[in-house]
Amino acid sequence: MLKSWLAICLGAALAVPATAAALQSVAVDIGHSLQAPGARSASGQTEFSFNRRAGLLLAGMLREQGVDVAVIGEQGNIRQLTERTQLAQGRQLLLSVHHDSVQPQYLPEAGRFQGYSLFVSRKNPFAEASLACARQIALSLQEAGERPTLHHAEPIAGENRPLADAALGIYWFDDLVVLKTASQPAVLIEHGVIVNPQEEIRLASPLVASRMARAIAAGALRCPLAEANKKP
């Protein structure tokens, strides 16, 4: 079933355009697990199931461009967050794939929340490269017609994330373990708000999923990693 879904998506996508980026290896981290599946979509699907589909599609897009990709968490059996960054060691870039929710008090009105968001950490050893990479991914997503959500900046419990770039939907999340313990530039990608019924349907569409994976891959290929590559 999953292989058929991926085949449809890959067939619908155009090839990621060739670039002069030096990106050769990426770790694609599939967020959450079977034991801790993350948010529940409007229809009751697990975030992990969305993350797995999106992560495998992204990995396929990158591999088509000759990038060496390590997929982390595909089986859903990772228990410790630091295990993810340990498995990513030696890769030039870490992309953590997620789908979004809202605070519990907003679930009855979840239909008004939509859009992607990106997170980076100032505690990552390559914070500036992480932010620069996030900007390239966000620009590519916007070129593909996606728009950011800014609800994570709302000054309420559970949110209140400082914006690194409001126009591009990029936030600082300094203590997020997968970002701050990574040994390379790292970006966490929230594809969209799956507790919004219409957003869930849209994100589940193979054409939309394909377009987003293509955009993320294209942005990653434009990441300015030269400075990060110089450091031990």
Side-chain angles (χ1 to χ4, degrees):
M1 191 81 168
L2 178 59
K3 289 182 179 178
S4 299
W5 191 94
L6 287 171
I8 292 170
C9 292
L10 287 168
L14 298 174
V16 178
T19 72
L23 186 65
Q24 297 177 340
S25 64
V26 174
V28 173
D29 171 48
I30 295 172
H32 295 288
S33 65
L34 293 172
Q35 184 180 34
R40 286 276 174 180
S41 73
S43 69
Q45 302 301 306
T46 66
E47 181 189 345
F48 174 72
S49 68
F50 276 84
N51 296 347
R52 187 170 186 267
R53 287 194 295 266
L56 293 177
L57 182 54
L58 174 59
M61 295 285 186
L62 288 165
R63 285 172 177 148
E64 282 191 346
Q65 300 306 305
V67 178
D68 181 18
V69 181
V71 177
I72 297 169
E74 178 180 356
Q75 302 305 316
N77 56 2
I78 292 182
R79 295 178 179 270
Q80 299 295 326
L81 291 173
T82 51
E83 184 181 349
R84 298 178 182 276
T85 49
Q86 289 168 0
L87 290 170
Q89 287 181 2
R91 303 282 161 169
Q92 290 175 289
L93 177 66
L94 171 62
L95 299 176
S96 189
V97 175
H98 287 258
H99 288 73
D100 214 352
S101 184
V102 298
Q103 293 303 311
Q105 66 268 32
Y106 291 139
L107 287 173
E109 51 183 311
R112 70 183 179 89
F113 296 90
Q114 61 184 354
Y116 75 85
S117 52
L118 305 178
F119 295 86
V120 291
S121 171
R122 285 171 288 202
K123 293 184 179 179
N124 179 282
F126 305 105
E128 289 305 315
S130 298
L131 178 56
C133 186
R135 284 188 168 124
Q136 291 300 323
I137 292 172
L139 285 168
S140 190
L141 283 168
Q142 292 195 7
E143 288 165 4
E146 299 296 322
R147 294 294 176 262
T149 176
L150 300 181
H151 73 276
H152 294 297
E154 187 178 358
I156 61 172
E159 301 294 359
N160 204 28
R161 305 296 173 196
L163 281 157
D165 192 319
L168 295 178
I170 304 170
Y171 300 82
W172 294 116
F173 198 154
D174 294 337
D175 286 318
L176 200 63
V177 173
V178 170
L179 297 179
K180 75 176 183 178
T181 65
S183 57
Q184 64 278 101
V187 181
L188 186 144
I189 304 160
E190 297 277 9
H191 284 63
V193 184
I194 56 172
V195 293
N196 175 339
Q198 295 305 311
E199 181 95 315
E200 177 190 5
I201 292 170
R202 191 181 76 87
L203 292 168
S205 160
L207 290 175
V208 172
S210 174
R211 186 174 69 237
M212 291 192 74
R214 179 181 182 274
I216 294 165
L221 285 166
R222 296 200 298 258
C223 285
L225 298 173
E227 289 304 311
N229 290 341
K230 291 178 184 177
K231 298 181 181 182

